[in-house]
Amino acid sequence: MEKMIYLDNNATTPIDPRVLEAMLPYFRDKFGNAASIHHKFGWDAADAVKQARQQVANVIGAAPEEIIFTSGATESDNLALKGIASMYADKGRHIITCKTEHKAILDVCKWLETKGYEITYLPVDKYGIVDIDLLAESIRKDTILVSIMAANNETGTIAPIETIGAICKAKGAFFHTDATQAFGKIPLDVEKMGIDLLSLSAHKIYGPKGVGALYVRRKNPQVRCEPIIHGGGHERGIRSGTLNVPGIVGLGQAADIAVREMANESQRLQKLRDKLYNELSDRLEGVTLNGHPNQRLANTANISFAWVEGEALMLGINEIAVSSGSACTSASLEPSHVLRAMGVLDVLAHNSIRFSLGRFNTEQEIDYTIKRVVEEVNRLRELSPLYEMAKQGKELRIAD
Amino acid sequence: MRYNEKVLEHYRNPKNVGSFDEQAENVGTGIVGAPECGDVMKLQIQVNENNHIVDARFKAYGCGSAIASSSLATEWIKGKTLDEAKQIKNTDIASELALPPVKMHCSVLAENAIKKAIEDLQRKKAKDNNK
């Protein structure tokens, strides 16, 4: 196979040609600044932004004026956490989140700790689902925000968002969800799910990189968010800076396609993903799934192959792009914090590979992937002293 | 991780993969690393009556550079005396394979595996002499 196979769609996605087509005029003829209110160049740009805002709002059941465009989900997460922390510091300085969040949440929380905020990091069960009872117990009078991701980037596990929203509402804390992976892939409704703030990104749904949005509730209750970027008062004063019009058009178009094709696409991807996992576990011993068996994004399968280190496997199948929770892939030499929080043993976390499928993968690519993974796992097991010892029924004895 | 060609060559076509009988008198075995840390190496040497290393074997669980480091180590020690083999430094392995700083520990493991294998052999020989 001369072509590379891309199964790392939770990292980023290729742009959909329909999205690119929609964007192109806004680089060339319609290059205006959406804030230029005195000429047609500006009006055309403003009209395009208006349409995109409506398209994004539609996906989550929001009103268009509740959508704040940003440079991506990391900025949206920063804005949500820092913006709420700063605006509501008088009410309290306690924030609740979860151990398996993305670094765009966890690193902001660590920073807030240095500024005098107290953060509760909730544990998860073996499937990566946050402890709901503990969440309810943890909300105090001075809790200003609960931030729990909608779907996990490493495992695809989907959180019980509606339950969390109801708890937060009953206890009077705002609820933010990082929906970077969930947006456009599973049904989301900010009203039904009691979501007050929601982060999303374009490049995970076949849109361009460098653009995203934060949903900020305007009524029942109104949520106020202190800006982190000042300079001109764009986006209702919450996020200054000239709007990235082509990017925003791309986000809108990508969101529109995602919501229209969601049902068919998730059905197709789930079939391919389940074929991948089922055939691998039929043809190889020591294969385990990390993540919830069914409360999971249709495109994601995080799999550990016993006795084979993840980075070595990735190198062996390097015509296929995937990710690993292995320490060897990070500078820290520690395995995935997500798998650790789920209680996956370090030795199995090192052996994990994340396959994340996408719109442009074919069944033929999945068949090829199955064949290559089986070949390479078998080859690396022949090299593995752990496999040899397991076969001989020996315990690993290591001199110090 | 982008690897250089030498690592890739050892990874794709590792030299001296396999195992000797650990109980044999002329075999020394070194096992280093830990599965929790993502690397385990087993390196074995086989010597003749003059304590020359006539053959070597390895198995490695770990990333591409762990596999390459141990494969290279087995190549280098073959034909050497035990004293010569002891002189092999992790930095020699790392520079031959152009390992980046984050992969230095792979070369350290390979050096330690050689030393442990030699110690194991010498322990066996000492026991033998005391019989």
Side-chain angles (χ1 to χ4, degrees):
Chain A
M1 183 158 291
E2 70 256 32
K3 216 178 113 219
M4 291 277 301
I5 295 176
Y6 189 76
L7 296 179
D8 204 12
N9 288 275
N10 286 9
T12 193
T13 55
I15 201 158
D16 189 303
R18 295 169 288 179
V19 172
L20 183 61
E21 274 309 311
M23 290 171 68
L24 288 176
Y26 296 92
F27 289 106
R28 297 188 298 222
D29 312 331
K30 301 183 179 180
F31 60 86
N33 187 328
S36 299
I37 56 171
H38 296 296
H39 51 67
K40 188 172 185 314
F41 295 94
W43 302 335
D44 283 348
D47 285 348
V49 168
K50 188 179 172 194
Q51 191 196 348
R53 208 184 292 280
Q54 182 68 56
Q55 287 170 317
V56 171
N58 286 347
V59 179
I60 56 173
E65 57 274 17
E66 294 175 309
I67 303 299
I68 308 296
F69 290 116
T70 66
S71 65
T74 296
E75 186 192 327
S76 299
D77 286 344
N78 270 265
L79 177 56
L81 269 62
K82 292 175 185 171
I84 293 295
S86 153
M87 184 64 84
Y88 295 92
D90 289 344
K91 189 200 166 206
R93 292 181 155 247
H94 180 231
I95 292 173
I96 298 172
T97 186
C98 171
K99 288 181 175 169
T100 55
E101 292 291 314
H102 192 272
K103 295 289 181 190
I105 295 291
L106 293 178
D107 286 351
V108 178
C109 286
K110 286 211 183 77
W111 180 82
L112 284 169
E113 282 178 318
T114 70
K115 302 291 170 196
Y117 289 84
E118 187 190 337
I119 316 286
T120 299
Y121 300 93
L122 293 172
V124 295
D125 66 13
K126 63 177 176 172
Y127 299 125
I129 294 194
V130 68
D131 186 329
I132 290 293
D133 295 335
L134 197 56
L135 185 146
E137 286 167 30
S138 303
I139 300 178
R140 319 184 303 218
K141 262 200 177 132
D142 62 338
T143 305
I144 48 177
L145 184 69
V146 173
S147 181
I148 305 289
M149 75 200 318
N152 185 273
N153 51 306
E154 290 191 27
T155 61
T157 293
I158 297 169
I161 290 297
E162 201 170 335
T163 311
I164 298 170
I167 291 170
C168 291
K169 188 145 269 185
K171 299 224 169 193
F174 290 140
F175 174 35
H176 167 250
T177 188
D178 174 357
T180 309
Q181 298 292 342
F183 177 75
K185 293 186 197 152
I186 56 170
L188 290 170
D189 186 319
V190 292
E191 290 307 324
K192 200 173 122 211
M193 296 174 165
I195 298 166
D196 298 310
L197 301 112
L198 179 150
S199 301
L200 62 95
S201 177
H203 78 106
K204 308 289 190 190
I205 55 162
Y206 316 95
K209 292 165 187 62
V211 59
L214 179 67
Y215 156 80
V216 184
R217 176 176 288 281
R218 284 194 88 177
K219 50 182 188 212
N220 305 319
Q222 186 191 18
V223 178
R224 288 157 65 227
C225 201
E226 184 87 30
I228 55 174
I229 295 175
H230 304 82
H234 308 72
E235 298 296 272
R236 291 165 48 212
I238 296 181
R239 204 282 191 176
S240 288
T242 298
L243 291 179
N244 168 8
V245 177
I248 289 167
V249 168
L251 168 57
Q253 185 68 16
D256 192 52
I257 295 170
V259 77
R260 279 191 282 113
E261 300 184 354
M262 188 188 291
N264 285 338
E265 186 157 296
S266 35
Q267 202 178 14
R268 188 184 79 90
L269 290 179
Q270 183 167 338
K271 220 176 116 203
L272 291 181
R273 178 201 70 185
D274 289 347
K275 178 179 191 182
L276 175 70
Y277 177 72
N278 291 337
E279 290 210 15
L280 289 175
S281 56
D282 282 351
R283 290 165 66 175
L284 292 166
E285 60 179 319
V287 171
T288 48
L289 180 76
N290 302 308
H292 199 283
N294 27 56
Q295 286 302 311
R296 183 159 49 106
L297 293 176
N299 76 320
T300 309
N302 186 312
I303 304 175
S304 286
F305 299 92
W307 313 297
V308 174
E309 199 275 331
E311 193 196 330
L313 180 53
M314 285 203 295
L315 186 57
I317 57 167
N318 68 0
E319 74 276 35
I320 304 164
V322 294
S323 292
S324 172
S326 155
C328 284
T329 59
S330 72
S332 66
L333 295 180
E334 280 187 2
S336 149
H337 72 281
V338 173
L339 299 185
R340 277 190 155 180
M342 289 160 59
V344 174
L345 295 173
D346 278 1
V347 58
L348 279 178
H350 285 295
N351 301 342
S352 69
I353 298 282
R354 179 188 70 184
F355 300 90
S356 50
L357 284 58
R359 184 173 291 163
F360 304 109
N361 290 126
T362 62
E363 181 156 17
Q364 192 195 1
E365 289 180 326
I366 299 305
D367 289 339
Y368 178 81
T369 301
I370 293 164
K371 172 179 149 279
R372 288 289 295 120
V373 171
V374 168
E375 281 169 8
E376 203 58 25
V377 166
N378 282 331
R379 181 181 89 91
L380 290 168
R381 281 180 178 171
E382 285 311 310
L383 273 175
S384 170
L386 302 181
Y387 183 67
E388 181 182 58
M389 288 172 213
K391 290 289 113 177
Q392 295 168 347
K394 273 194 207 161
E395 292 272 325
L396 179 63
R397 287 174 299 105
I398 291 174
D400 34 68
Chain B
M1 180 75 54
R2 289 186 178 204
Y3 284 113
N4 95 348
E5 258 323 300
K6 283 179 182 165
V7 173
L8 290 176
E9 176 53 28
H10 277 285
Y11 170 82
R12 289 187 190 122
N13 301 301
K15 307 290 193 294
N16 311 306
V17 175
S19 298
F20 294 132
D21 176 7
E22 273 183 50
Q23 308 305 322
E25 277 176 21
N26 60 341
V27 168
T29 302
I31 301 177
V32 294
E36 308 78 65
C37 303
D39 298 285
V40 176
M41 272 182 205
K42 181 179 92 163
L43 188 145
Q44 294 183 300
I45 52 173
Q46 192 177 59
V47 294
N48 64 14
E49 55 282 3
N50 301 324
N51 272 342
H52 277 71
I53 299 173
V54 291
D55 210 351
R57 290 283 183 275
F58 90 94
K59 287 213 170 190
Y61 159 85
C63 63
S65 24
I67 291 169
S69 298
S70 30
S71 170
L72 179 67
T74 55
E75 281 290 274
W76 276 0
I77 57 181
K78 280 202 289 186
K80 288 199 162 64
T81 64
L82 294 181
D83 283 338
E84 286 165 350
K86 271 188 210 166
Q87 302 306 315
I88 294 172
K89 291 271 167 291
N90 81 290
T91 46
D92 303 334
I93 295 169
S95 76
E96 171 70 15
L97 295 174
L99 296 182
V102 67
K103 298 294 182 188
M104 284 303 283
H105 69 280
C106 296
S107 64
V108 174
L109 279 178
E111 178 190 322
N112 290 346
I114 298 173
K115 297 212 158 94
K116 291 286 173 198
I118 294 171
E119 279 170 27
D120 180 56
L121 183 81
Q122 286 174 332
R123 205 175 312 133
K124 274 185 189 167
K125 299 248 167 185
K127 234 188 230 168
D128 244 26
N129 292 340
N130 291 340
K131 267 183 195 165

